[in-house]
Amino acid sequence: MLAAAGTGAIADERYVKLAQERRDELLELLSSMIRVRSLSGESGAEAQELVKAYLADLPYRIEASDDRPSRYENHAEYMPPNPPGDGPFVNVVGWPDTASATRSAMFSHIDTHSIDDGWETDPFRPTMRGSRMYGLGTSDDKGGVAAMLVAASILSAEGGPLPVVMSLHGKGGGSRGSLPVFERLRGGDHGIDSVLYVHPAETGRGLDDIKNAVQGVVDLELTVSGWRAPPMEIGSVDSSDWAAGGNALDMCWDLVDYLRSGVFDGVALNLGIMDGGDRIGSVADSASARFRLKFDGDYTWGGLLAAARSALDDYAGALGAADEAWQFAIEPVGYRTNPGAAAWDAPASAVLRQSIEEVTGRPPDAYPNHYAGDIRYPIRLLGVPAYGIGTIGGNFYGPNEWVDTDDLVRLVAVLVQTMNGWALR
């Protein structure tokens, strides 16, 4: 059995040595994944076959599922996938053969960003430049999948505790993989008490940052229909009496302020886009405002939307019968994701933070500013702490994506030490 993490001892070089011994295996596994296309809106079945083949040599029982986001459209944690599509999408969960009352879990996502213009190398051909490997998905997040699998193999070889491992679809909000899988786990006897999302913080600083919280976000569009008075000149819309019209743009401004100071008081509101109709010579008979809310705590995007609709109904009712021509509506139009947070000082966090410090020589920082992060699913659906860590990398959402392979090896060491430490808490 490997030594327990979190004991306050000087860095244990054994974990780093175990990871370094698997360096070639790690990079070959990652390279094989990069060569297989698995864009976010595609099933990822071929790439998941590599995951299943690797797990087949370890003491794991493999579950594969075909999941469709549309089955979860009414779920409180649902966000429409981007790019759209209903799959099905293949997700893989590996369960240790040896049963235990409680378990830890690791998950990563197999799907990648799209192929954007500007690649200087073949995105499906892993290319080494110094310690960097370039290729689509190297850092986001096939590097995480490869590190997770190799860490599980090391734990198996050393007789250490085996975590549940999951290779899922996580880009575009997680509704292709993370939501279906964690929702199924919620309904069963999973025994999972802590979760590690093997995905780097989007800061690019690798193991220097731990994601322990994600913000709630919802993008809303408020639409207002007003009216123009009859024109006083034949064929001249602009001859209408402005004072006799119902200026939708003015009303839209008033309603944004009404919501901001009312049901949205206590959350951050950023007004991003306003559309005030089709001309400047007449009142706007229609207008819209798009804005984003950011929130944490007990707020949910569904609750905020319901509160806004109720407030608009009250506002319309207060206008009276003479103003029945006004029409208001508010709908979600983009991101819709609830907040989630795991305590920075929780026992699971203490083990993780010390594991990182012992391997890298630097205590990590908390990074709570991300939104739509998949750690929210185990936090909200399973009620267990979840944290996100990963490697130094770059260009997550564009061409020339890369991962630092030296840091990827360190990540494996951290995973082995953390999973061992979590099992021995």
Side-chain angles (χ1 to χ4, degrees):
M1 179 70 70
L2 300 178
T7 61
I10 297 174
D12 188 345
E13 294 294 330
R14 176 167 169 74
Y15 297 106
V16 176
K17 184 174 184 294
L18 287 169
Q20 289 175 339
E21 289 172 350
R22 300 290 192 102
R23 181 187 181 93
D24 291 345
E25 176 186 344
L26 172 67
L27 298 188
E28 180 52 40
L29 177 59
L30 176 56
S31 296
S32 66
M33 291 179 178
I34 300 305
R35 296 185 186 102
V36 176
R37 175 182 171 122
S38 58
L39 303 188
S40 184
E42 301 173 354
S43 79
E46 187 178 355
Q48 295 287 39
E49 287 299 319
L50 297 176
V51 174
K52 291 192 286 185
Y54 192 93
L55 286 175
D57 292 331
L58 301 176
Y60 277 93
R61 172 175 55 86
I62 301 169
E63 290 183 358
S65 59
D66 293 333
D67 291 302
R68 294 186 181 276
S70 62
R71 295 171 181 166
Y72 300 87
E73 286 179 343
N74 296 321
H75 196 286
E77 305 301 326
Y78 175 78
M79 187 174 97
N82 182 30
D86 204 34
F89 302 100
V90 177
N91 294 294
V92 174
V93 178
W95 293 92
D97 284 344
T98 303
S100 60
T102 59
R103 307 182 180 94
S104 299
M106 296 186 286
F107 75 107
S108 314
H109 69 73
I110 196 71
D111 53 326
T112 72
H113 191 65
S114 57
I115 308 170
D116 295 343
D117 293 337
W119 275 90
E120 298 174 2
T121 63
D122 184 340
F124 298 113
R125 178 177 296 175
T127 302
M128 293 296 302
R129 293 179 177 174
S131 66
R132 293 184 178 184
M133 178 186 288
Y134 288 82
L136 186 62
T138 45
S139 57
D140 181 25
D141 183 31
K142 290 183 175 179
V145 177
M148 172 182 71
L149 294 176
V150 171
S153 179
I154 292 173
L155 286 164
S156 175
E158 295 293 313
L162 291 183
V164 179
V165 295
M166 314 176 203
S167 177
L168 311 178
H169 285 254
K171 291 190 72 65
S175 293
R176 297 184 180 94
S178 299
L179 173 56
V181 169
F182 283 107
E183 175 60 24
R184 281 196 296 274
L185 289 176
R186 179 168 71 157
D189 185 18
H190 55 80
I192 294 171
D193 63 1
S194 48
V195 176
L196 193 59
Y197 184 28
V198 190
H199 187 294
E202 285 69 12
T203 61
R205 300 190 331 138
L207 291 164
D208 284 358
D209 291 320
I210 295 176
K211 287 191 287 189
N212 70 303
V214 291
Q215 298 180 81
V217 166
V218 63
D219 296 333
L220 298 174
E221 182 175 40
L222 170 66
T223 57
V224 178
S225 294
W227 64 93
R228 291 171 179 154
M232 291 181 286
E233 299 176 7
I234 297 173
S236 175
V237 175
D238 290 353
S239 69
S240 298
D241 182 0
W242 293 354
N247 193 315
L249 182 58
D250 288 346
M251 178 62 78
C252 196
W253 275 112
D254 290 344
L255 289 176
V256 170
D257 287 339
Y258 169 70
L259 294 172
R260 191 200 304 264
S261 61
V263 294
F264 295 156
D265 184 32
V267 306
L269 185 153
N270 182 68
L271 179 59
I273 302 171
M274 287 201 76
D275 184 343
D278 60 350
R279 58 198 306 117
I280 60 174
S282 182
V283 300
D285 60 353
S286 65
S288 65
R290 289 193 175 200
F291 49 89
R292 172 168 291 179
L293 305 178
K294 284 187 179 181
F295 49 93
D296 54 20
D298 294 330
Y299 289 109
T300 65
W301 71 263
L304 288 168
L305 177 59
R309 286 173 171 165
S310 178
L312 291 177
D313 287 343
D314 292 343
Y315 195 99
L319 291 174
D323 290 321
E324 289 181 355
W326 289 110
Q327 294 182 9
F328 310 144
I330 190 165
E331 298 290 341
V333 291
Y335 276 101
R336 57 193 84 168
T337 173
N338 292 321
W344 184 247
D345 294 326
S349 174
V351 171
L352 173 61
R353 288 186 284 115
Q354 184 151 353
S355 297
I356 292 173
E357 184 173 3
E358 290 182 353
V359 170
T360 68
R362 181 191 184 282
D365 298 318
Y367 181 68
N369 298 322
H370 193 55
Y371 53 88
D374 282 32
I375 63 170
R376 73 188 190 275
Y377 291 114
I379 291 172
R380 295 186 65 86
L381 297 180
L382 304 188
V384 301
Y387 304 88
I389 64 168
T391 56
I392 295 172
N395 302 330
F396 288 5
Y397 308 130
N400 304 313
E401 183 180 347
W402 59 271
V403 68
D404 186 296
T405 56
D406 292 338
D407 206 51
L408 191 63
V409 173
R410 287 189 284 269
L411 174 62
V412 172
V414 169
L415 296 179
V416 173
Q417 183 165 340
T418 300
M419 291 298 105
N420 182 64
W422 279 3
L424 298 177
R425 278 185 290 137

